[in-house]
Amino acid sequence: HRTNADRCQTLVGKELRTGTTVHSLTMSKAAQWRGDIWRRLTPEVLQMSESAATRSIIDTHRHIFGPKLRKKFVKNIGFDDTKPFPQANAGEMFFYRESLDVEYSMDIQQKSGVTLCVNSYGGGIETFAHSIIKASTVDTLKFLHDESFVLRDRFPKDIAFMANAHALEENTRAVIDPLISSKQASCISISTSYGAGADQVFLDSPKAEWLWEYAQDKDVLVHIHPPLV
């Protein structure tokens, strides 16, 4: 049974309007999880939305790449820092100014009336690990979380972030748990599937059971994103 999610979520005041469709979630724990957890961000993020009259719209689906990650794009996947946006590399991966120019991204966000975005990388963990950062899954996650801290610290009123995990690798629990337990991260971000072709594995795999159990135990939302290919 394949799991896919088309995410388009907007939080206006206290109301979370979600256009998420999850197909064929047949896991018993996932069924319990789906109805309860998708409705919420952490209280801290919701409180941020109520702290001022203007803080009322939260973009819950955002990918912003900080300076260290941008350098990895230049070094490893053909992004040219000297050319204008948009760009595409030989593998038809597209690079947009809204993601790679942080100052521009924040300026557009503020002018558009979006007062907080929640940044995530969970859909691209395998691509980040194999092709961009070129490190183990755990080291890749640590790199991405460090990048998230840099962005959040630079724009504390504008950016929150998710704890990125690999749903099929239980050892990534140790990476996300400090962020979730301390409420530094607003939720968990994962991919809809891992691998490709005959080796593609979906979220009904027994290897993902730890994630559903962890999310239910922590009462935390899970953001499911298609893989970055």
Side-chain angles (χ1 to χ4, degrees):
H1 300 279
R2 299 188 175 186
T3 306
N4 197 359
D6 300 319
R7 310 114 357 258
C8 181
Q9 304 172 337
T10 304
L11 187 65
V12 182
K14 293 183 180 179
E15 181 181 1
L16 181 63
R17 299 175 181 176
T18 177
T20 301
T21 303
V22 181
H23 302 290
S24 302
L25 269 176
T26 59
M27 300 161 293
S28 59
K29 289 185 174 60
Q32 298 170 15
W33 158 83
R34 181 178 58 185
D36 186 42
I37 297 180
W38 264 105
R39 294 195 295 269
R40 296 185 307 285
L41 292 171
T42 62
E44 286 69 22
V45 172
L46 294 178
Q47 287 168 10
M48 292 175 76
S49 72
E50 300 168 359
S51 62
T54 58
R55 189 166 293 282
S56 58
I57 301 177
I58 300 177
D59 180 354
T60 62
H61 178 196
R62 195 69 168 275
H63 310 302
I64 308 171
F65 307 121
K68 291 183 179 179
L69 199 48
R70 180 167 170 151
K71 289 179 180 178
K72 293 289 187 181
F73 281 23
V74 172
K75 180 180 179 180
N76 294 325
I77 57 171
F79 171 65
D80 190 335
D81 224 357
T82 67
K83 292 183 179 180
F85 293 98
Q87 294 182 34
N89 66 10
E92 297 187 348
M93 180 180 289
F94 288 85
F95 307 106
Y96 296 99
R97 188 178 181 187
E98 291 82 357
S99 292
L100 283 158
D101 184 336
V102 179
E103 288 79 8
Y104 175 80
S105 182
M106 290 299 98
D107 183 57
I108 293 297
Q109 174 176 308
Q110 292 159 5
K111 288 179 178 177
S112 69
V114 175
T115 48
L116 181 72
C117 71
V118 188
N119 198 43
S120 68
Y121 304 117
I125 296 304
E126 290 192 324
T127 298
F128 281 122
H130 297 159
S131 303
I132 301 173
I133 299 171
K134 296 189 176 181
S136 68
T137 301
V138 167
D139 286 343
T140 295
L141 292 173
K142 290 179 178 178
F143 182 103
L144 294 172
H145 291 142
D146 286 345
E147 194 83 333
S148 296
F149 279 121
V150 169
L151 294 171
R152 185 203 61 182
D153 292 347
R154 188 172 179 183
F155 298 96
K157 295 182 179 180
D158 301 287
I159 300 176
F161 68 92
M162 303 184 193
N164 305 286
H166 193 303
L168 306 182
E169 296 185 19
E170 189 170 357
N171 62 336
T172 64
R173 180 207 304 259
V175 180
I176 67 170
D177 184 61
L179 303 176
I180 296 298
S181 296
S182 65
K183 301 189 184 301
Q184 293 186 77
S186 58
C187 57
I188 303 169
S189 178
I190 61 172
S191 179
T192 57
S193 65
Y194 299 88
D199 297 323
Q200 192 169 13
V201 181
F202 295 86
L203 296 178
D204 56 354
S205 168
K207 291 183 178 180
E209 281 297 308
W210 74 269
L211 177 75
W212 311 125
E213 293 172 357
Y214 178 83
Q216 184 168 308
D217 179 62
K218 292 293 185 179
D219 196 27
V220 64
L221 179 149
V222 173
H223 177 271
I224 305 174
H225 193 286
L228 173 66
V229 294

